[in-house]
Amino acid sequence: MHWTTPLLTKPWKEHAFGPDEFDCWGLVHFAYRTQKGIDLPQYLETSSRAFREQGIDDSDYPQWLPIAEPEDFALVGMGMGKRIAHVGLHLHIDGGLVLHCPESTGVVIQSVASLKKHGWRTIRFYRWQNLS
């Protein structure tokens, strides 16, 4: 069983960091902590709703380095426009999948092609600066 299996369908809740509920950043934070032993910042200064409505750009979080090609545990930034409004985690399984937690469904795994079909026009990949 893959480590993500028990997380699937866990519900979305604003500012939730698991293990029973998550928001999108809380899921990434939980995965890094439990699977990599890395305690990422919690970024609680912005509500999930404000994050979705206002978005961020690459300069807002300089500790995340943009990368051209996805790698295992890369942060996946998604947006309906040019700015990132949702995040997930790239997994090198089945050709590359994205683990994320949208408010509408809770924790799911989707391909990048499926994300694009669901309206995510901007998809960017990032590496945590201290990840070796």
Side-chain angles (χ1 to χ4, degrees):
M1 174 171 39
H2 194 265
W3 66 265
T4 60
T5 303
L7 302 176
L8 297 177
T9 72
K10 296 283 184 175
W12 180 93
K13 183 178 179 184
E14 187 167 31
H15 298 308
F17 285 79
D20 298 319
E21 300 171 314
F22 298 94
D23 66 9
C24 65
W25 179 250
L27 179 62
V28 170
H29 185 277
F30 180 84
Y32 264 80
R33 185 170 33 91
T34 60
Q35 300 303 307
K36 295 284 194 184
I38 298 171
D39 197 19
L40 298 173
Q42 291 194 0
Y43 300 134
L44 292 176
E45 70 275 4
T46 304
S47 73
S48 294
R49 189 164 314 282
F51 180 71
R52 286 192 313 274
E53 291 170 0
Q54 298 166 17
I56 62 168
D57 63 33
D58 293 352
S59 64
D60 290 330
Y61 297 99
Q63 62 273 43
W64 288 98
L65 307 173
I67 55 176
E69 293 296 320
E71 54 191 45
D72 203 31
F73 275 79
L75 182 74
V76 181
M78 297 165 258
M80 299 289 186
K82 292 181 181 180
R83 294 175 67 85
I84 301 302
H86 180 60
V87 294
L89 189 65
H90 188 270
L91 305 171
H92 268 335
I93 53 175
D94 295 333
L97 297 172
V98 178
L99 176 73
H100 66 121
C101 188
E103 185 174 354
S104 60
T105 61
V107 179
V108 295
I109 294 180
Q110 289 181 272
S111 67
V112 171
S114 177
L115 291 171
K116 289 180 179 179
K117 285 181 184 176
H118 284 91
W120 298 107
R121 294 183 301 182
T122 299
I123 298 177
R124 297 187 197 128
F125 303 99
Y126 302 88
R127 176 189 305 127
W128 178 246
Q129 68 175 347
N130 297 322
L131 187 61
S132 51

